[in-house]
Amino acid sequence: MRIESSVTSVSWIPSEVPTGLLQAGINLGLGHADPPPPEVIEDLEALFAAERFRFANHLAAWIEVTDGVVVDAGYSGRGYISRTRVGGRHGIVFHPAAFPEIRHQPQVTATGARFVQTTGGRTGMPMPRPVSGSPQ
């Protein structure tokens, strides 16, 4: 019997977070805050297509059980990084650079499995912000 499960973490920029220079960048159209994601994510692909979040890590995995013993396990999820849009819906789009996903070999025992997945990358264009020190 195959048993599947998943968990998703989503990162977004709430409207109350940007202040000072970050808020000035938003006011100039150089960036935007994100509406909060829904309490229950029913269609992650649709949220991604609508650019409703910055990053998402969808850890989906499965185990195969025979006679009450886990005999196989694997991953089926992935990470997402949204594009960065400057200047509104019809503005300039910057594409992100995804880093390779890190997936540890599932730790399988007779009664279960443990999965670890890390995803991420660089957004297409970071929000302008003050930084300390000079660029290297």
Side-chain angles (χ1 to χ4, degrees), residues 46-59:
L47 288 176
F48 178 60
E51 300 173 6
R52 289 277 313 273
F53 57 79
R54 303 300 163 126
F55 298 92
N57 183 357
H58 180 66
L59 169 54

Side-chain angles (χ1 to χ4, degrees), residues 22-31:
L22 291 177
Q23 186 60 49
I26 288 174
N27 294 343
L28 290 171
L30 298 176

Side-chain angles (χ1 to χ4, degrees), residues 17-50:
V17 169
T19 60
L21 289 176
L22 291 177
Q23 186 60 49
I26 288 174
N27 294 343
L28 290 171
L30 298 176
H32 63 88
D34 304 311
E39 287 290 319
V40 176
I41 297 174
E42 304 217 4
D43 189 346
L44 185 60
E45 292 287 340
L47 288 176
F48 178 60

Side-chain angles (χ1 to χ4, degrees), residues 2-3 10-11 43 45 71-72 79 96 99 114 118 133:
R2 186 183 197 111
I3 300 170
V10 176
S11 297
D43 189 346
E45 292 287 340
V71 296
D72 198 9
F99 295 156
R114 181 172 187 259
T118 303

Side-chain angles (χ1 to χ4, degrees), residues 75 104-109 112-116:
Y75 291 90
H104 295 242
Q105 188 67 27
Q107 297 175 357
V108 179
T109 66
R114 181 172 187 259
F115 301 89
V116 177

Side-chain angles (χ1 to χ4, degrees), residues 38-95:
E39 287 290 319
V40 176
I41 297 174
E42 304 217 4
D43 189 346
L44 185 60
E45 292 287 340
L47 288 176
F48 178 60
E51 300 173 6
R52 289 277 313 273
F53 57 79
R54 303 300 163 126
F55 298 92
N57 183 357
H58 180 66
L59 169 54
W62 54 268
I63 59 172
E64 197 68 45
V65 180
T66 303
D67 297 326
V69 177
V70 177
V71 296
D72 198 9
Y75 291 90
S76 57
R78 61 170 276 216
Y80 297 82
I81 306 176
S82 290
R83 298 174 293 216
T84 300
R85 190 175 297 274
V86 176
R89 198 77 192 137
H90 302 289
I92 301 168
V93 175
F94 296 89
H95 292 274

